[in-house]
Amino acid sequence: MPSPRPLSRGTLRILWAALAAIRPRGHGFDQPIDDAVMRDIQNFLAFLPTPLRLGFPIGLRLLEYGPPIFAGKLCRFSTMPVDEARHYLDGFAEAGGLRASLIIGVRTLVFLAFYQHPDVLESLQIDWATRATELTHRRAELLAHVPAETRPS
């Protein structure tokens, strides 16, 4: 398993701001799991293809220093209030092209790490292992009534 390269303080600052703006809040999602989510995001980065892994920090810098250009705000992304940061990210997503791809990637990383955290799965009453077992048993029951020569492989 590849070990994650440590991210620079600047990259981490931008990722923390993105996490704060993207992750769901309220409705049972206010668990104190941001540290775990950030750790999972950092661990996952080691598995990105090399061009994406190398380009990701560059894209985050565009996000960080883009507010004067893309939002008319004289600040950095990491210093924006959460509501303004969300609006800024929405603008990136609506812009299309590389800016939208960047935000889709960042959101995907945040959502993957967030929604697979055990506390979130528990609050959503999702138990993947039990569900897989139930579906396997159900498939076995259904296939028990199908002649062997017509069973899917």
Side-chain angles (χ1 to χ4, degrees), residues 97-146:
L98 291 175
R99 286 173 46 203
S101 296
L102 172 64
I103 296 310
I104 289 169
V106 172
R107 282 183 176 161
T108 300
L109 289 171
V110 170
F111 287 149
L112 279 173
F114 180 80
Y115 281 109
Q116 288 307 307
H117 191 278
D119 292 350
V120 174
L121 291 171
E122 183 180 333
S123 74
L124 294 172
Q125 299 177 346
I126 295 173
D127 180 357
W128 292 120
T130 301
R131 180 75 174 141
T133 301
E134 290 171 355
L135 290 175
T136 301
H137 288 306
R138 179 67 180 139
R139 180 178 170 145
E141 290 171 4
L142 293 172
L143 288 176
H145 302 303
V146 176

Side-chain angles (χ1 to χ4, degrees), residues 53-74:
R53 193 173 56 250
L54 296 175
F56 188 69
I58 296 167
L60 290 178
R61 292 310 185 279
L62 174 66
L63 188 64
E64 174 76 338
Y65 298 114
I69 299 165
F70 303 118
K73 304 262 183 199
L74 293 176

Side-chain angles (χ1 to χ4, degrees), residues 23-68:
R23 73 159 281 184
R25 300 282 180 189
H27 307 292
F29 291 128
D30 288 328
Q31 299 95 338
I33 61 171
D34 286 355
D35 288 334
V37 170
M38 182 60 76
R39 184 179 56 251
D40 289 346
I41 290 170
Q42 291 179 67
N43 288 338
F44 185 80
L45 291 176
F47 293 96
L48 289 176
T50 301
L52 288 176
R53 193 173 56 250
L54 296 175
F56 188 69
I58 296 167
L60 290 178
R61 292 310 185 279
L62 174 66
L63 188 64
E64 174 76 338
Y65 298 114

